[in-house]
Amino acid sequence: MAGGRRYAGGRCAREVAGLAERSPRERVVFSAAQLLRRGGVARTGMREAVTRARAPRGSLQHYFPGGKEQLVNEAVDWAGRYAARRVERFVAGLGTPSPSGLFAAMVGQWTEEFESEAGFAGGCPVAAATVDSADTVASTRAAAARAFDGWRAAVAGALHAMGVPETRTGALATLMVSSLEGALLLARATHDVRPLHDVVRELGPLLDAAAPEG
């Protein structure tokens, strides 16, 4: 969901470029999200997040009195908001907005990253936190649920604006998000972007069929 040349390749490098203008707290949360996407919860160290963010060491106790659990949860929340914001940007970048075009853009940011020098090192931080902690840390499971809900709501809203009946937007948003997450897992496991191309090709016609012809 997020990255930059230091953490990952692709379009998200602009997010890193703007970090200097952000508060130390925001930089630490962003850094934690990047650590999550590369190594999961276990390898997301608070001190490393602070070091990467170039934030004062004392900011840990000041901003995150709940410790690592709080930091991970805030990183997951950030990632969910980032994914939701990206939906609007993807739609704005489409010449003629369509459900298939939106899905292709959502997948395309990951294809671009995996084909860059960053390779397959990074994945979705929300998915990583879900796999690592959903059964053991209730607050992290709740944060992941919020993140996915916000992302799906943004996709559903975009689909509705394209003419997809509201009765179908929620289910189709779930299909798009879950298909992307599954393809990401397969791509990282096989070090092959073909699963990403497959879901775009196969789901595109189905998604467009849900919208009335313009």
Side-chain angles (χ1 to χ4, degrees):
M1 289 184 184
R5 188 67 64 179
R6 180 178 176 184
Y7 302 105
R11 303 174 185 173
C12 298
R14 290 187 294 273
E15 194 74 18
V16 175
L19 281 182
E21 303 174 358
R22 299 188 176 189
S23 69
R25 190 183 201 288
E26 290 174 317
R27 296 200 303 271
V28 174
V29 171
F30 175 85
S31 295
Q34 308 317 305
L35 292 172
L36 268 178
R37 69 194 299 273
R38 296 179 69 88
V41 174
R43 294 179 62 185
T44 299
M46 295 188 71
R47 290 185 178 180
E48 185 175 0
V50 168
T51 299
R52 286 176 177 265
R54 298 181 181 178
R57 182 65 57 86
S59 60
L60 282 176
Q61 293 183 345
H62 178 66
Y63 293 123
F64 308 101
K68 181 175 178 177
E69 181 177 333
Q70 179 186 352
L71 178 58
V72 167
N73 294 348
E74 292 198 23
V76 169
D77 282 329
W78 176 89
R81 293 192 301 272
Y82 178 85
R85 291 195 305 269
R86 290 290 290 176
V87 172
E88 183 177 351
R89 297 178 192 175
F90 289 143
V91 173
L94 297 175
T96 303
S98 67
S100 65
L102 171 58
F103 185 59
M106 290 168 59
V107 176
Q109 67 171 334
W110 288 99
T111 305
E112 179 183 322
E113 176 176 321
F114 289 162
E115 291 179 335
S116 75
E117 64 186 48
F120 295 86
C124 171
V126 182
T130 302
V131 170
D132 289 352
S133 301
D135 289 339
T136 57
V137 184
S139 64
T140 300
R141 184 205 61 75
R146 285 194 304 272
F148 279 126
D149 285 347
W151 188 13
R152 287 186 300 148
V155 174
L159 293 175
H160 187 53
M162 295 173 191
V164 176
E166 192 170 5
T167 54
R168 298 197 63 193
T169 56
L172 289 176
T174 297
L175 177 64
M176 292 165 70
V177 170
S178 59
S179 295
L180 171 55
E181 290 288 0
L184 289 177
L185 182 63
L186 287 171
R188 293 188 73 194
T190 61
H191 277 207
D192 192 330
V193 297
R194 280 183 293 181
L196 297 172
H197 294 305
D198 288 344
V199 292
V200 169
R201 183 181 64 252
E202 297 299 329
L203 281 187
L206 182 150
L207 295 171
D208 283 344
E213 296 184 6

